[in-house]
């Protein structure tokens, strides 16, 4: 995984007024905290920061921050955005200790969904209950994302966190839930109703066909017997 670097600058002025003035000139205020050093106010180029935030890996990777030529390993911890403008109001970074385990949310990348029995054979709709997973690991083991294979997904069972293959050294953090659901597969209601209606319809068609069938023609012997009866009746009339 390629290292992501960005440049920050020391910030000497603090407070809301100073932050507003920084934003007007294209700067974004921030802070770096954690480790043995005291929190350090910083500022970043706003346009470059907005561009970096569009990269998924920027949110879930160990970043290299350069300030006055010194490089520091950090994690992105919080971004405060303007309610309706694409403007960063404040950003927080945390220093990384290579020997301490970290908690981080990393994105889930799903694949083989279309070839799963749930979709391919039963026409189910797959719902991603979770799109990111909270994990715990050492900084060196932090994955940019976690792949989730859905090739065995069935409509009769959901995929839980325990069913995800995690990279070595990575543990899932459940936050009180023993085994949260990650993915479900459900057959659309319209498809179920169509299949249920198809069976009574077929039975009704079979009944209608049987009702409309012509009566069985009388056997030739029966016709002959009736013809003989008519002739005998005619002879009796002549005798009279």
């Amino acid at each position: 995984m390629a290292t992501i670097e960005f440049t920050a600058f020391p910030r000497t002025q603090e407070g809301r007024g100073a932050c507003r003035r920084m934003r007007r000139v294209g700067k974004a205020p921030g802070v770096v905290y954690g480790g043995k050093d005291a929190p350090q106010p910083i500022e970043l180029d706003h346009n470059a920061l907005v561009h970096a935030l569009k990269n998924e890996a920027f949110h879930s990777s160990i970043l290299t921050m350069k300030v006055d030529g010194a490089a520091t390993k950090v994690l992105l911890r919080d971004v405060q955005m303007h309610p309706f403008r694409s403007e960063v109001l404040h950003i927080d970074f945390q220093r990384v200790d290579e020997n301490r385990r970290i908690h981080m949310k990393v994105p889930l990348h799903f694949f083989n969904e279309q070839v799963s029995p749930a979709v391919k054979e039963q026409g189910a709709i797959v719902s991603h209950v979770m799109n990111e997973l909270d994990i715990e690991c050492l900084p060196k083991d932090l994955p940019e994302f976690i792949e989730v294979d859905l090739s065995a997904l069935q409509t009769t069972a959901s995929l839980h966190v325990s069913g995800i293959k995690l990279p070595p050294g990575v543990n899932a953090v459940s936050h009180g839930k023993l085994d949260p659901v990650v993915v479900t597969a459900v057959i659309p209601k319209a498809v179920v109703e169509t299949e249920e209606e198809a069976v009574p319809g077929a039975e009704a068609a079979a009944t209608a066909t049987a009702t409309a069938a012509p009566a069985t023609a009388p056997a030739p012997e029966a016709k002959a017997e009736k013809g003989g009866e008519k002739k005998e009746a005619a002879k009796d009339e002549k005798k009279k």
Side-chain angles (χ1 to χ4, degrees):
M1 181 174 60
T3 302
I4 299 178
E5 298 182 354
F6 68 97
T7 301
F9 307 92
R11 176 161 57 97
T12 57
Q13 297 181 343
E14 298 186 51
R16 294 183 179 179
C19 289
R20 282 195 295 268
R21 289 191 294 272
M22 289 175 55
R23 298 186 195 106
R24 284 199 291 265
V25 296
K27 301 291 184 181
V31 66
V32 184
Y33 61 87
K36 298 179 181 179
D37 298 330
Q40 178 185 7
I42 57 173
E43 62 181 56
L44 303 92
D45 180 82
H46 185 271
N47 290 339
L49 178 59
V50 170
H51 180 73
L53 290 172
K54 294 178 181 178
N55 182 3
E56 181 184 68
F58 193 80
H59 297 258
S60 57
S61 302
I62 304 295
L63 310 172
T64 300
M65 181 184 71
K66 292 186 175 181
V67 181
D68 287 341
T72 305
K73 299 294 184 181
V74 298
L75 289 170
L76 173 62
R77 281 307 190 190
D78 187 51
V79 182
Q80 298 176 29
M81 300 295 297
H82 192 277
F84 55 86
R85 292 201 299 266
S86 180
E87 179 183 356
V88 179
L89 300 180
H90 197 274
I91 189 164
D92 294 355
F93 295 96
Q94 179 185 358
R95 299 184 185 97
V96 172
D97 184 343
E98 295 292 340
N99 299 314
R100 296 188 63 179
R101 298 179 71 85
I102 57 175
H103 285 83
M104 197 74 181
K105 287 185 178 181
V106 297
L108 298 175
H109 288 188
F110 301 94
F111 67 101
N112 284 338
E113 178 177 310
Q114 296 302 317
V115 299
S116 66
V119 175
K120 189 174 182 180
E121 299 174 8
Q122 300 166 320
I125 294 178
V126 176
S127 175
H128 299 164
V129 181
M130 298 171 61
N131 289 306
E132 59 182 11
L133 183 65
D134 197 355
I135 64 169
E136 179 188 36
C137 64
L138 288 173
K140 67 180 181 64
D141 297 324
L142 179 64
E144 182 179 324
F145 56 84
I146 294 175
E147 291 188 332
V148 182
D149 186 3
L150 300 180
S151 60
L153 184 65
Q154 301 275 357
T155 55
T156 55
S158 302
L159 176 66
H160 294 253
V161 169
S162 60
I164 298 177
K165 185 179 180 180
L166 298 176
V170 176
N171 297 323
V173 180
S174 61
H175 296 291
K177 296 182 179 180
L178 296 178
D179 197 8
V181 175
V182 179
V183 171
T184 60
V186 180
I187 298 177
K189 185 177 179 181
V191 174
V192 176
E193 290 178 348
T194 301
E195 291 177 351
E196 290 177 350
E197 291 173 359
V199 176
E203 292 177 353
T207 303
T209 302
T211 303
T216 305
E221 293 81 357
K223 287 185 177 180
E225 289 177 0
K226 289 183 179 179
E229 291 174 356
K230 289 182 179 179
K231 288 180 180 179
E232 290 296 329
K235 290 179 180 179
D236 292 341
E237 286 295 328
K238 286 181 179 180
K239 289 178 180 180
K240 290 179 181 180

